[in-house]
Amino acid sequence: MAEAFPDIPKIQYEGPKSKNPLAFKHYNADEVVAGKKMKDHLRFGVAYWHAMRNTLSDPFGGGTAQRPWDDGSDSIANAQNRARVMFEFMEKLGVDYYCFHDRDVAPELNDLAASNKALDAVADVLLSEQQRTGKKLLWGTACLFSHARYCQGAATSPNAHVYAYAGAQVKKAMDVTHRLGGEGYTFWGGREGYATLWNTNQKREMDHLAAFLHMAVDYKKKIGFKGQFYIEPKPREPSTHQYDSDAAACLNFLRQYDLLEHFKLNLETNHATLAGHTMRHEMQVAIASNALGSVDANTGDTLIGWDTDQFPTNFYLTTEIMLEILKMGGFTTGGLNFDAKCRRESFEPVDLFHAHIGGMDAFARGLKIAAAIIEDGRLDGFIKQRYSTFDNGIGAKVEAGGVTFDDLEAHTLANGEPLIGSGRQEMLENLINEFI
Ligand code: XLS
Ligand code: NI
Ligand code: NI
């Protein structure tokens, strides 16, 4: 097969002084930071749906992407060829992982048996390319939101036959993910929510969704799939309200339906901000329940109201993300999957390289900055000091449990008005700027 990117060499690390746009300035895969190689901290993944399938349309105009290797057809041969291009891309970029939906890699043929057969034929190529290159599958998933049959939901559809179709599709996507040695499997409920409450029975839909996820847990056991299950929160878009609206809503749902032990969260920055939170907030909520699994690395645009899925280039953002990851002890099955696409204006194949190089460099810097902040210790020291009244006396008793309102009253009557210290927000912001 002719190369898809004949003019692009393997991307090398050239250091911060390099002026070569097709080189890493900060990401040096084998360099050790905080006791681990950068590539093992960051575990970058390429999203098949964006890199290979996104035409770069937006709500006001059609696709612009130039993908000369793609004949635009739904043929299996085209899908197999595209799979090979994906691996050439990952090899040249030096990314170890990828993620896909069933319908990204293989065509939807409007007949379950035929679609499954096509998926197997493409999975043959994915498997042989994985073996040839050593690249791995971070997670797989099923597309339960594009086809018209899912326009009113999949596992929350009011129609039981659609629900059954969705289950059959997930079963196959799990089989293929298992066959490819996937380290995880993601459930993003693209249309699991509602457009209007005038036609919706929320309680029934949530019960159905929980039953669906329990079936997935059972099927996982049945086939011996050891990968981690993830739920990916998002508040809205395409639906008006999605049941998995943010980390807290997902955790509550998982707890309510006895699913928490089987799932972690796959958090995406642009979804966090659409939910009115920062990514760091969402990460801390997940980590507090030991449920942060993986990250869809992207960013939104403060001036545009939808999920723009842009490549992250902001060092504050990547520093905050890497601080949380380092503090939780690093990824296990998860990674940083670039769920991000080029802008509609950036339609050439080389733009795929610029975009990923920028994201990888931004996270490499974020990692180094976060490691330096932790190593320095002043930030953690300040926070520890801020809570120090809980380290002994009445505070320690509260944390140990068993304190009553009577005890709090007696303490206050004996001690009078508390002395409190400044929160020092500005000082801490200045401290962080020392590192960025
Ligand atoms: C869309 C989601 C999607 C999931 C996978 O907004 O981010 O891409 O990551 O289904
Ligand atoms: Ni995502
Ligand atoms: Ni998204």
Side-chain angles (χ1 to χ4, degrees), residues 386-432:
R386 187 159 181 250
Y387 291 88
S388 59
T389 54
F390 281 92
D391 292 339
N392 43 51
I394 188 71
K397 284 187 198 150
V398 168
E399 288 197 351
V403 169
T404 66
F405 270 179
D406 292 325
D407 300 329
L408 297 184
E409 182 188 50
H411 175 86
T412 304
L413 288 173
N415 287 274
E417 193 59 32
L419 277 177
I420 62 167
S422 164
R424 297 263 190 270
Q425 178 173 336
E426 297 78 3
M427 182 192 84
L428 295 172
E429 286 166 348
N430 298 348
L431 189 156
I432 295 305

Side-chain angles (χ1 to χ4, degrees), residues 85-153:
V85 174
M86 177 71 168
F87 279 80
E88 181 191 332
F89 179 63
M90 287 193 288
E91 280 191 287
K92 289 194 164 167
L93 195 60
V95 165
D96 294 333
Y97 291 93
Y98 70 109
C99 300
F100 67 76
H101 301 83
D102 49 0
R103 302 306 183 239
D104 305 331
V105 293
E108 158 75 57
L109 298 172
N110 295 310
D111 172 276
L112 185 66
S115 297
N116 286 351
K117 213 171 147 220
L119 185 52
D120 284 332
V122 181
D124 291 343
V125 175
L126 294 171
L127 187 60
S128 72
E129 286 295 287
Q130 284 184 201
Q131 285 160 350
R132 180 181 70 75
T133 60
K135 307 287 175 204
K136 290 177 271 190
L137 179 60
L138 190 65
W139 49 260
T141 186
C143 178
L144 303 178
F145 44 89
S146 293
H147 195 279
R149 82 175 70 87
Y150 297 125
C151 72
Q152 299 176 43

Side-chain angles (χ1 to χ4, degrees), residues 63-80:
T64 57
Q66 296 171 356
R67 304 289 181 251
W69 55 83
D70 197 313
D71 69 15
S73 79
D74 260 351
S75 76
I76 293 173
N78 190 35
Q80 289 175 322

